[in-house]
Amino acid sequence: MPEHNDAVQSPPGNPATAESTAAGSSGFRPARVSPVPLWEIAASLGIQAPEGSAGVTVTGVSLNSRTVEPGDLYLALPGASRHGAEFAGQAVAAGAVAILSDDDGAQRLLADGGPGVPVLSVREPRTAVGPVSALVYRSQPAGEASPTLFGVTGTNGKTTTTYFINSLLSALGMTTGLIGTIEILAGAEAIPSLLTTPESPDVHALLALMRERGLDAASMEVSSHAVSYRRVDAVMFDVAGFTNLTQDHLDLHGSMEEYFRTKAELFTPGRCRRAVVIVDDEWGRTLAAEARVPVTTLSLKGGEQAPDADWTLASSTPRGLGSAFVLRHRDGGELRARTALPGDFNIANAALATIMVLASGVSREVLQAALEEQDPFAVAVPGRMQLVSEAPASVVDFAHNPDALARALEAVRSREEGSRVIVVFGATGQRDQGKRPTMGAIAARLSDVVIISDDDPHDEDAAAIRAEVLAGAVAARDNEQLACEIIESFPRDVAIRKAVELATEKDTILVAGRGHEVWQEVKGVNLALDDREELKAALTARGFRVPADERIES
């Protein structure tokens, strides 16, 4: 968890004697939260409420002293280098009415006279965060209506699939929510967030906010980090979907097997009711076989790899930059759809979204009507195969691992004679170093011009990162006698301008790795950098036309 290094100061107190306003600065919380007695929270954890806690009620939960609001339970957890108990004073000053910590934290808190509020102590407080948050916010109370919740996991495709689900649900006339790495939506309102994956209290607060606003359904990206760090504990997904599994995040998980096992935790009875799994890789087939919930299988390849899949891709044909496609069930029934985004992987994303919505209980007839009449997969997803110009075709994509980069490069390759692919990309610092030369080699094999630049170096030396990517590209070019041109160019805005300078109207430019991100982190400093804006500016400066894209949903 992030360290706590400052706090919002506000008068202490416990206003939770009646329903409390708790929208707060985060914007994540429901407008009204019914107070929960501290003894009830203690009982749910199997511990005794501390002396002096009678009458104390809780209306919010916070892991961070800077986001504490009056009436909150402050969760003082151990961090990587500092303990949350160190910031209890700030939390209490901001209005925390009680603190939950581990034994070590409780001992620290009770020394020197204590923090002035009741302290609950459990051996593994991280495991309590989700259940306590669910209890306080009543995010998915049993027996009461809640938005139908869709969760999507996998290495690639999570963001696009959740946007497709959101768009399809809207086409069906539902009021929807979205929790993802690009943005958080509760109906038509976008909610600002500084986190790519909200912490567990924020997730439950968001679900409660969506329930309070009467939303019909919501979709959420579920990363392996979200599972590992228990950010989706005590969340029940009505339908969970699996895209694929390829090399990524091995700095966290250590091996592909561990990475898979983390993802597979989502497909258990305590976390989801039913699942849709793409079975075109060995991980998907293993997941479908081992999942302990009802599973609908989907294959875009079919044949020997997935002969028994419930749904298969019967056909696909080019349609503009995207595709029209037909999904066929084992019973012979079909669903016809189309997507405006290029690449077979976007057919997979659209197909997964379609079958997940079907699995939620929507009839085939109603679903087919929405697919035909509303064209929901024409939505453009920020930073995901986002088309910036058409001549040259200029695309910004989030591809930041070997499989995603290969798929993106294959997707943008034009059939027009004389057309070249020019790619600008780099590798992220302090992440899975083993994939860097692999990505360089992929770029050399699938591009005509390879421009290696910086991604987000973080605290690593940017030149050293580029050197690893460059080594992989040069080795592939020399060993495989490839005809590509390899250029090292930095900083990234200069590299993007270089790509545009080299391009003709027939060519395709792919700027890969950062997608929708608008800040580049270098040595702890966030530098303003939006690949889409840099690309637009460079194209405009050269006299190329940059049309407005009104399909982007945000």
Side-chain angles (χ1 to χ4, degrees):
M1 62 179 282
E3 293 182 4
H4 303 236
N5 49 33
D6 61 30
V8 176
Q9 299 294 326
S10 60
N14 180 18
T17 55
E19 286 194 334
S20 172
T21 299
S25 58
S26 70
F28 288 173
R29 304 189 186 197
R32 305 189 71 80
V33 179
S34 297
V36 178
L38 189 62
W39 67 260
E40 185 177 343
I41 294 173
S44 74
L45 297 172
I47 60 175
Q48 292 291 324
E51 292 185 8
S53 62
V56 175
T57 56
V58 172
T59 54
V61 180
S62 181
L63 282 166
N64 191 325
S65 61
R66 290 170 290 176
T67 62
V68 166
E69 298 180 15
D72 275 6
L73 173 67
Y74 172 56
L75 306 176
L77 272 59
S81 58
R82 303 182 70 178
H83 199 293
E86 296 178 41
F87 305 95
Q90 293 96 313
V92 173
V97 296
I99 298 172
L100 172 67
S101 191
D102 61 358
D103 295 339
D104 176 52
Q107 290 176 5
R108 297 190 195 194
L109 291 166
L110 296 174
D112 301 323
V117 297
V119 176
L120 304 178
S121 176
V122 293
R123 181 169 297 179
E124 297 289 342
R126 173 54 82 170
T127 64
V129 175
V132 167
S133 300
L135 174 63
V136 170
Y137 290 117
R138 300 184 74 248
S139 50
Q140 295 175 304
E144 297 186 31
S146 297
T148 301
L149 187 59
F150 298 83
V152 181
T153 196
T155 304
N156 301 312
K158 296 186 294 295
T159 299
T160 300
T161 302
T162 55
Y163 267 79
F164 281 172
I165 291 171
N166 186 68
S167 184
L168 179 52
L169 293 170
S170 297
L172 289 163
M174 299 185 190
T175 306
T176 64
L178 179 71
I179 303 175
T181 58
I182 295 177
E183 62 185 345
I184 296 170
L185 301 172
E189 179 188 352
I191 299 174
S193 173
L194 298 179
L195 297 173
T196 53
T197 303
E199 279 283 5
S200 184
D202 289 332
V203 170
H204 285 281
L206 280 165
L207 294 176
L209 174 65
M210 292 177 183
R211 191 169 77 87
E212 179 182 72
R213 293 184 177 179
L215 270 61
D216 299 305
S219 50
M220 179 179 178
E221 295 179 50
V222 185
S223 66
S224 59
H225 288 72
V227 177
S228 292
Y229 298 147
R230 314 191 76 95
R231 292 174 183 168
V232 290
D233 277 13
V235 174
M236 175 59 72
F237 293 92
D238 293 284
V239 185
F242 176 84
T243 60
N244 51 61
L245 198 76
T246 62
Q247 182 181 341
D248 206 1
H249 303 307
L250 297 191
D251 53 318
L252 171 66
H253 300 292
S255 68
M256 289 295 292
E257 179 65 25
E258 183 183 344
Y259 183 28
F260 168 73
R261 290 298 163 194
T262 301
K263 295 281 192 187
E265 287 184 34
L266 182 63
F267 299 85
T268 55
R271 295 186 183 271
C272 79
R273 293 187 171 90
R274 60 191 67 82
V276 179
V277 177
I278 295 180
V279 289
D280 288 333
D281 61 29
E282 62 175 300
W283 303 109
R285 292 188 288 276
T286 301
L287 178 61
E290 295 183 356
R292 294 184 287 116
V293 296
V295 174
T296 299
T297 53
L298 169 64
S299 174
L300 284 300
K301 297 178 180 178
E304 295 181 0
Q305 288 195 344
D308 299 321
D310 297 308
W311 287 92
T312 56
L313 179 66
S315 66
S316 65
T317 55
R319 184 178 182 272
L321 290 173
S323 305
F325 61 94
V326 177
L327 300 175
R328 181 173 296 145
H329 192 265
R330 287 185 290 105
D331 64 10
E334 293 184 343
L335 285 167
R336 300 173 302 282
R338 52 191 178 268
T339 174
L341 299 187
D344 290 346
F345 57 92
N346 276 314
I347 297 176
N349 295 333
L352 179 59
T354 301
I355 303 307
M356 287 181 68
V357 172
L358 181 70
S360 72
V362 177
S363 72
R364 289 190 200 178
E365 295 75 18
V366 170
L367 188 59
Q368 184 63 70
L371 290 167
E372 290 179 353
E373 296 168 8
Q374 302 293 326
D375 205 13
F377 305 141
V379 61
V381 183
R384 268 59 175 181
M385 296 304 288
Q386 185 174 340
L387 188 68
V388 174
S389 70
E390 296 182 358
S394 302
V395 177
V396 172
D397 190 65
F398 194 56
H400 61 283
N401 58 54
D403 181 67
L405 182 61
R407 291 184 182 203
L409 287 167
E410 290 168 348
V412 301
R413 171 67 70 179
S414 172
R415 298 181 180 89
E416 184 176 0
E417 185 176 352
S419 172
R420 300 175 303 164
V421 171
I422 303 170
V423 64
V424 178
F425 78 108
T428 310
Q430 297 177 289
R431 302 288 190 277
D432 195 1
Q433 296 182 10
K435 69 186 181 185
R436 294 172 185 172
T438 303
M439 291 175 67
I442 286 169
R445 294 184 188 113
L446 298 176
S447 309
D448 300 287
V449 180
V450 178
I451 302 178
I452 295 169
S453 191
D454 300 327
D455 195 291
D456 285 339
H458 297 299
D459 290 331
E460 272 197 76
D461 178 62
I465 298 172
R466 293 194 305 270
E468 292 185 58
V469 179
L470 186 64
V474 170
R477 180 194 63 187
D478 295 347
N479 295 337
E480 301 170 32
Q481 299 182 329
L482 304 172
C484 65
E485 179 181 2
I486 299 174
I487 301 168
E488 182 181 9
S489 180
F490 58 94
R492 193 173 176 97
D493 58 340
V494 173
I496 291 171
R497 289 197 295 272
K498 181 67 173 178
V500 174
E501 289 169 6
L502 294 174
T504 70
E505 289 190 350
K506 288 184 177 182
D507 293 334
T508 298
I509 300 169
L510 173 67
V511 181
R514 302 183 67 253
H516 66 285
E517 294 174 355
V518 297
W519 301 99
Q520 184 183 46
E521 186 183 341
V522 182
K523 300 293 185 181
V525 178
N526 283 333
L527 306 176
L529 181 66
D530 186 328
D531 288 354
R532 298 163 296 181
E533 295 305 317
E534 296 296 337
L535 189 52
K536 289 176 185 177
L539 289 162
T540 300
R542 269 213 63 194
F544 294 125
R545 180 175 176 270
V546 180
D549 189 346
E550 298 178 353
R551 298 173 302 137
I552 294 177
E553 185 170 297
S554 64

